[in-house]
Amino acid sequence: MTVAAARRLRNGAVCFVGIGLPSTAANLARLTHAPRVCLIYESGTIGAKPSVLPLSIGDGELATSADTVVSTPEVFRYYLQGGRVDVGFLGAAQIDRFANINTTVIGSYGKPKTRLPGAGGAPEIAALAGEVLIIMQQSARAFVKQLDFVTSAGFLDGGDARERAGLAGRGPAAVITDLCIFQPDPVTRELTVESIHPGVERATIEAATGWPVRYVAQVRSTDPPSSAELTTLRELLRRTARAHASGEIRQSQRA
């Protein structure tokens, strides 16, 4: 999933990237095929080149490795609203068939079952970035027929709804999961499977999706990760584990 998502980020692109899986994929792209990608984080770091994955947008690793640091209002006003961001890279807790995402609550807003991290900059990124890439684990709980809360707009209710709403960006270009890759249908804008990861069956995808799954006419098999991509990703994760004293380090200390 991470490798497939990283491959979608082209060299030289300006990418507004979220923490978590989006940051992992974007930095893998930077360390492999896209060394000239410019990573922007919400805290104001421009051209960040972290040696380990950041814990949050406020991680000092982002500031010390960046080309420059600006204010958060400048990131949103000058870069994002100014049309200077090519790609927004986002994650989500829930997504629907038109790639609208929820990162706010599970259950009713007034009395939620789970309070999620919230919107942050995702609504603006989803609305204004040139295009959006979404990466998330696929399950029937996450890929739902009806969102509990619409945090960030994908294609709203489909068709030309996004354009009618006046959203400047083109919207989601792909949703990359641990099972497959979706792309929006060019007319209806419904998410449609265009690539299935090796070893995954259609029945597995359908069981992990809360709406009837559609497929493109010629579904391809996702190219498996290369040895170089896997080595780079594993080294990045190992460096991050050491730097953040993760479970791997604590376990060795207990031993």
Side-chain angles (χ1 to χ4, degrees):
M1 174 174 63
T2 303
V3 170
R7 289 171 176 167
R8 294 273 171 160
L9 195 56
R10 68 183 183 278
N11 197 22
V14 177
C15 178
F16 204 138
V17 57
I19 293 297
L21 287 172
S23 184
T24 305
N27 278 285
L28 177 61
R30 180 180 61 81
L31 293 169
T32 51
H33 69 278
R36 294 189 297 106
V37 69
C38 177
L39 300 185
I40 298 178
Y41 287 80
E42 189 177 338
S43 52
T45 55
I46 310 294
K49 304 172 187 66
S51 60
V52 300
L53 297 172
L55 289 168
S56 72
I57 60 170
D59 196 315
E61 176 75 11
L62 295 177
T64 57
S65 67
D67 294 332
T68 189
V69 180
V70 301
S71 68
T72 297
E74 183 172 341
V75 166
F76 284 92
R77 178 67 186 93
Y78 179 79
Y79 287 91
L80 187 57
Q81 293 181 23
R84 295 174 173 86
V85 173
D86 300 315
V87 183
F89 220 143
L90 300 174
Q94 284 185 331
I95 192 168
D96 68 13
R97 65 192 180 104
F98 294 118
N100 304 298
I101 64 177
N102 172 24
T103 56
T104 303
V105 294
I106 301 298
S108 69
Y109 187 82
K111 293 184 178 180
K113 296 177 182 176
T114 304
R115 178 73 66 178
L116 300 171
E124 289 82 4
I125 296 169
L128 300 170
E131 66 178 27
V132 176
L133 299 174
I134 301 169
I135 178 173
M136 56 189 295
Q137 299 275 350
Q138 188 168 348
S139 71
R141 295 177 63 186
F143 281 64
V144 295
K145 184 176 181 180
Q146 176 90 37
L147 294 181
D148 292 335
F149 188 93
V150 179
T151 307
S152 305
F155 294 104
L156 301 173
D157 57 357
D160 64 350
R162 185 180 174 89
E163 289 78 11
R164 287 188 283 106
L167 303 182
R170 294 186 297 276
V175 177
I176 303 99
T177 82
D178 52 328
L179 303 178
C180 63
I181 300 173
F182 292 88
Q183 65 181 21
D185 180 89
V187 177
T188 67
R189 299 301 185 185
E190 182 176 344
L191 291 177
T192 307
V193 175
E194 64 97 5
S195 176
I196 299 177
H197 300 335
V200 176
E201 301 292 336
R202 290 194 180 197
T204 303
I205 296 171
E206 291 161 10
T209 309
W211 63 83
V213 179
R214 297 180 59 210
Y215 301 85
V216 299
Q218 298 293 327
V219 179
R220 66 183 182 90
S221 177
T222 309
D223 292 335
S226 69
S227 59
E229 288 169 326
L230 283 177
T231 297
T232 303
L233 176 58
R234 288 167 179 164
E235 288 177 350
L236 174 61
L237 295 176
R238 278 195 290 268
R239 289 197 303 273
T240 300
R242 289 195 296 268
H244 295 163
S246 72
E248 174 183 312
I249 300 301
R250 291 194 296 270
Q251 184 177 8
S252 67
Q253 290 171 340
R254 285 196 299 270

